[in-house]
Amino acid sequence: MMIIAVVGSGGKTTRIHKLSRYYRSLGKKVFVTTTTHMKKEPDTVIPTCAKDLLNPLSETGYCMAGMLTTTKDAPVQKIGPLPKNLYEHVVKEADIMLIEADGSRGMPAKIPAQYEPVIPENVDEIHIVIGMSALGKSAREVVHRLSLADKDLEIKEDTIITPFHLQKLLK
């Protein structure tokens, strides 16, 4: 069993789907979930019991699941974390667990709050992503939680984002 948390902004879900395809091509059973919020996709399982997760995992080698949640960006339905007992059932059955462990409200860059990212203790790898689509745009357009920027970041609302700024955000 390998558990990978994907954190940062601008590409977490895409990274998770690429990893999922790769590991499934190797014949691995892949489970996808979140510790924060993630867009509910058509094949997302909203479980009522462990079998709801384990059946697709054993039948197709893939399951994406979480609990329905309400968020401020209402038209998009989101999922939140699984209850601990269901998470623990899946950990025992999946070969690879991919966890979206951070949120950025769809923005390509972010300044994390003190409580972020939300990484489970049993994680083996952490993949950090940031959206290159932020380059050349004003910080107000592309940086989530811009209000948390301090003077060390050298980013204000009208700052045009460069590779230098993205490096600082990643650090």
Side-chain angles (χ1 to χ4, degrees):
M1 159 56 86
M2 177 181 278
I3 301 173
I4 301 171
V6 181
V7 302
S9 56
K12 294 181 302 294
T13 303
T14 299
R15 175 77 179 152
I16 284 171
H17 285 306
K18 284 181 181 179
L19 288 169
S20 173
R21 284 190 297 276
Y22 169 72
Y23 286 117
R24 288 173 72 192
S25 77
L26 300 177
K28 304 289 185 187
K29 290 189 286 185
V30 177
F31 186 80
V32 175
T33 193
T34 183
T35 56
T36 57
H37 294 105
M38 190 174 190
K39 183 180 172 189
K40 181 184 179 294
E41 298 183 13
D43 61 348
T44 303
V45 174
I46 308 301
T48 57
C49 64
K51 281 185 180 182
D52 293 341
L53 307 173
L54 302 179
N55 285 349
L57 198 57
S58 65
E59 291 168 10
T60 67
Y62 175 79
C63 182
M64 177 178 179
M67 305 309 290
L68 279 180
T69 186
T70 55
T71 62
K72 293 177 188 172
D73 31 2
V76 178
Q77 202 169 28
K78 299 237 177 170
I79 57 170
L82 291 169
K84 187 176 181 177
N85 67 320
L86 293 181
Y87 177 87
E88 289 172 355
H89 273 291
V90 175
V91 166
K92 295 174 188 170
E93 297 298 320
D95 298 315
I96 305 291
M97 184 173 279
L98 302 171
I99 302 171
E100 188 166 305
D102 210 352
S104 62
R105 301 223 180 234
M107 303 282 261
K110 75 175 280 185
I111 300 168
Q114 286 185 330
Y115 56 85
E116 294 175 308
V118 184
I119 300 171
E121 290 179 19
N122 60 345
V123 163
D124 299 299
E125 291 182 6
I126 299 170
H127 295 203
I128 304 169
V129 299
I130 195 163
M132 299 302 287
S133 64
L135 292 174
K137 297 186 177 117
S138 71
R140 87 172 63 76
E141 295 176 81
V142 296
V143 179
H144 179 49
R145 290 211 184 86
L146 184 58
S147 62
L148 297 180
D150 60 25
K151 60 184 169 192
D152 292 339
L153 278 177
E154 301 174 38
I155 298 174
K156 295 179 173 37
E157 280 194 13
D158 59 346
T159 301
I160 300 301
I161 301 298
T162 67
F164 170 79
H165 298 111
L166 292 184
Q167 286 175 334
K168 283 193 164 252
L169 288 169
L170 281 171
K171 287 182 185 178

